[in-house]
Amino acid sequence: MKPGHHHITVLGAGIVGVACALFLQRDGYRVTLIDRLGPGEGCSRGNAGILAAEHVMPLATPRNIRKVPGMLLDPHAPLHIRWRYLPRLLPWLWRFWLCARPHAVAASSQALAALQGGALTAYGTLLEQARAHQLVRTDGWLCVYESEKEFVADRIERELQRHYGIRVEELTVDEVRERLPAISRSIQRGVLYPDSAYTINPHRLVQVLAEDFQRHGGIMQRAAVNNIDVTPGQRVRILTDAGAHETDSVVLALGAWSGRLSARLGSPVPLDTERGYHVMLPRPGIDISLPVMFGDHKFIATPMEHGLRLAGTVEFAGLDAPPNYERARILITRARRLLPRLQVQGHSEWMGCRPSLPDSLPVIGRSPHYRNVYFAFGHQHLGLTLAAVTGRLIADQVAGRTSDIDLTPYRIDRFS
Ligand SMILES: Cc1cc2nc3c(=O)[nH]c(=O)nc-3n(C[C@H](O)[C@H](O)[C@H](O)COP(=O)(O)OP(=O)(O)OC[C@H]3O[C@@H](n4cnc5c(N)ncnc54)[C@H](O)[C@@H]3O)c2cc1C
C-alpha cells in the first residue's frame, strides 16, 4: 500500500493501537485513531509497567496446568475462575491444555522470543520521537523468592531465557537485601533481569505517545465502534455511535474487546480475558529502587512516579462481570508481610482486562479475507512490552516490506 493519501484507521487507543498508529504515521500514511474512551483508558492504564523483554515462557505449561485445580479451590490464589463463568471458559481451557504439550510450549517460546528480540529497540524509536525517555527506566527488575522450592522450579524458565541469550543473574539473600533493604527476612533468593526496563507511569506513557501522534497530524476520534464492513470496492466502513466512518484500511487493536469484530470480519478467535488488579499506594513509606516480583505469589511491586503499584493476579470472569476488589486487597495483605514497613493509607484499586489467547501469543498481521484489514491484539501479560514491536510489524505489513520476524506464528487463523 503506497502512503500518500491512503487513509488508515486504527481501532483502539491502548498502547498497542497507539504504537501501530505512530509507526504507520512514520511511513507517511494519513492515520485516524478511534477509541470510545480516549488513549490508555483500557488495560494499558493500570498495568505493572514492566517492559519484560526477558519473558519468553508461555503461560500454558505442564507445571501451570498442574497448579490449576489447587488454585481453583483457593480464593486467595493468584489464579481464580468465577464458577459461573466456567462453562463459557471451557473451550478456551481445552485449547490452553493443548498448548501445554511440549512441542506447543517450544513453538510459543520461540515465537515470543522472536518478538522480544525487537521489543525494546522498537520502543526506542517511539520514545525518541516523542522525547519521552524520562518515562522509562532501564535498571532492570528483580524476582524474589521465599521458597527455595519455587526458585528451583523456575530454573526451567531461566534456562530457556539463557538459551535465547537473555541475561539472568541469580542473587544470594545478601545481594537481594543490598538492593532492597525494605524486604522481609523471609526472602531467600533473587533473580535479576538487568536488561529489562519499566515505565514509571504506563497511563502517561500512552497519553504522551498519543499526543505525539496528534502533534504529527494524526486524528484522534472518540467514538464506540459497533460494526465494521468491507465493501465490494474494498473500502472499509466502520459504524460508530458517532456515525459512519470510511477508510482505505483498518487495524483492529481493541485489546480484549477485539473478538466480536474480528468474527464479524470472518476471523473468529478464541480470545478471552485474564482480568488483573492493581493497588496504588501513594505514600508507601519505603524505598523500592526497582520493580520486584514476588515469585511465590505472582505479583509485582513497581515504583512509579505517583507511588508504589502492587499489580498482578488472574481472574477469569469475562468482560462484563463487575470487578471483585477483594482480589486487589489480597495484594495488600501479601505485600504487608513481604514489605513489613509498607504504608497503605490512601490506596486506590483498579481492574483491567488482559486480552488472552490460549497459546500466549498475540495476533499480528493481515486478514486472510481482506487485503486492507489488519489485526493487532491478544498480547495477554505482555501488551506493554510488545506494543512497539507490534506497531513496527504492522507497518511493515501495510507497506509490503519483508519483516525480520516471520509472522506465521501470530496469524489469526492459527486456531481454525
Ligand atoms: C494487572 C496487570 C498488570 C500487567 N502488567 C504488565 C506488565 O508489567 N508488562 C506488560 O507488558 N503488560 C502488562 N499487562 C498487560 C497489558 O496491560 C496489556 O496486554 C495491554 O495493556 C493491552 O493493550 P491493548 O492496547 O491491546 O488493549 P487496551 O489497553 O485494553 O486497549 C484497547 C482499547 O480499545 C478500546 N475499545 C474497546 N472496545 C471499543 C469499541 N467498541 N469502540 C471503541 N473503542 C473500544 C478501549 O477503550 C481501549 O482503550 C498487565 C495487565 C494487567 C491487567
Side-chain angles (χ1 to χ4, degrees):
M1 226 78 71
K2 290 226 167 12
H5 292 295
H6 193 90
H7 180 210
I8 305 187
T9 301
V10 179
L11 304 182
I15 188 68
V16 174
V18 170
C20 290
L22 278 164
F23 273 102
L24 289 165
Q25 187 181 56
R26 284 172 66 84
D27 275 346
Y29 296 101
R30 267 194 318 128
V31 185
T32 300
L33 243 177
I34 299 183
D35 197 291
R36 62 184 173 195
L37 297 174
E41 296 297 335
C43 192
S44 303
R45 183 187 175 94
N47 58 53
I50 315 291
L51 299 179
E54 79 301 327
H55 197 113
V56 288
M57 183 72 111
L59 275 182
T61 59
R63 184 170 161 225
N64 282 346
I65 295 276
R66 277 197 299 276
K67 283 184 185 170
V68 169
M71 286 191 177
L72 287 181
L73 298 172
D74 175 3
H76 293 128
L79 170 81
H80 181 69
I81 301 178
R82 282 204 202 165
W83 286 106
R84 218 175 310 150
Y85 192 65
L86 187 58
R88 283 183 62 190
L89 187 66
L90 282 175
W92 192 97
L93 285 177
W94 167 244
R95 286 182 192 275
F96 185 76
W97 184 77
L98 292 177
C99 290
R101 290 172 298 173
H103 69 278
V105 175
S108 284
S109 306
Q110 197 175 351
L112 277 177
L115 291 177
Q116 292 287 24
L120 295 186
T121 313
Y123 256 108
T125 307
L126 299 185
L127 294 174
E128 194 175 312
Q129 180 181 301
R131 296 179 201 279
H133 277 290
Q134 75 287 356
L135 285 175
V136 173
R137 302 261 157 91
T138 51
D139 315 330
W141 67 276
L142 194 58
C143 183
V144 297
Y145 295 87
E146 291 189 291
S147 116
E148 183 72 17
K149 196 168 148 227
E150 277 297 307
F151 172 76
V152 170
D154 276 355
R155 183 167 289 158
I156 301 171
E157 188 163 352
R158 296 194 289 278
E159 276 165 13
L160 188 71
Q161 288 162 333
R162 288 186 177 115
H163 169 76
Y164 286 112
I166 295 159
R167 275 209 296 156
V168 183
E169 289 176 20
E170 293 182 16
L171 305 183
T172 63
V173 66
D174 292 338
E175 289 167 330
V176 171
R177 289 236 169 84
E178 224 170 83
R179 288 170 173 82
L180 289 173
I183 207 110
S184 154
R185 300 235 148 242
S186 63
I187 295 298
Q188 300 302 319
R189 295 300 294 258
V191 175
L192 179 70
Y193 294 105
D195 297 329
S196 293
Y198 69 101
T199 173
I200 53 170
N201 192 333
H203 189 209
R204 200 151 78 79
L205 178 65
V206 190
Q207 290 181 324
V208 166
L209 293 178
E211 280 162 22
D212 188 51
F213 164 74
Q214 287 175 281
R215 207 171 20 251
H216 287 86
I219 311 270
M220 187 69 229
Q221 264 182 33
R222 198 157 160 169
V225 177
N226 296 325
N227 216 336
I228 186 164
D229 248 327
V230 182
T231 64
Q234 294 284 307
R235 291 275 290 164
V236 182
R237 198 154 186 271
I238 297 159
L239 297 178
T240 77
D241 62 355
H245 171 94
E246 286 216 1
T247 185
D248 297 310
S249 295
V250 69
V251 180
L252 193 68
L254 296 169
W257 297 269
S258 303
R260 191 177 59 81
L261 289 180
S262 81
R264 169 87 198 125
L265 291 162
S267 295
V269 270
L271 180 71
D272 213 296
T273 178
E274 290 176 71
R275 296 148 49 115
Y277 290 82
H278 89 211
V279 173
M280 199 65 219
L281 308 174
R283 292 174 298 281
I286 52 170
D287 213 17
I288 299 278
S289 55
L290 78 176
V292 52
M293 159 95 161
F294 295 97
D296 317 76
H297 309 284
K298 309 288 177 235
F299 75 94
I300 301 181
T302 308
M304 297 205 168
E305 62 181 357
H306 48 314
L308 186 70
R309 175 167 295 172
L310 311 175
T313 88
V314 168
E315 177 190 50
F316 285 99
L319 284 170
D320 302 320
N324 170 11
Y325 286 117
E326 208 34 59
R327 301 280 305 154
R329 280 166 227 140
I330 294 169
L331 299 178
I332 299 188
T333 312
R334 292 253 149 87
R336 276 182 135 160
R337 191 172 64 71
L338 293 157
L339 299 164
R341 284 178 287 109
L342 187 68
Q343 304 288 317
V344 302
Q345 293 92 334
H347 78 264
S348 57
E349 296 154 350
W350 171 88
M351 188 275 285
C353 292
R354 300 182 187 94
S356 297
L357 290 148
D359 59 359
S360 300
L361 296 178
V363 171
I364 305 173
R366 193 193 294 261
S367 153
H369 307 297
Y370 305 103
R371 62 174 178 75
N372 52 349
V373 172
Y374 301 85
F375 299 112
F377 62 81
H379 294 72
Q380 41 104 18
H381 294 241
L382 292 171
L384 172 67
T385 310
L386 300 177
V389 68
T390 299
R392 179 173 70 73
L393 291 169
I394 288 288
D396 283 347
Q397 282 256 294
V398 173
R401 284 189 296 267
T402 310
S403 290
D404 52 342
I405 298 173
D406 172 19
L407 293 189
T408 313
Y410 325 106
R411 64 189 199 283
I412 196 155
D413 55 2
R414 63 185 188 265
F415 296 100
S416 46

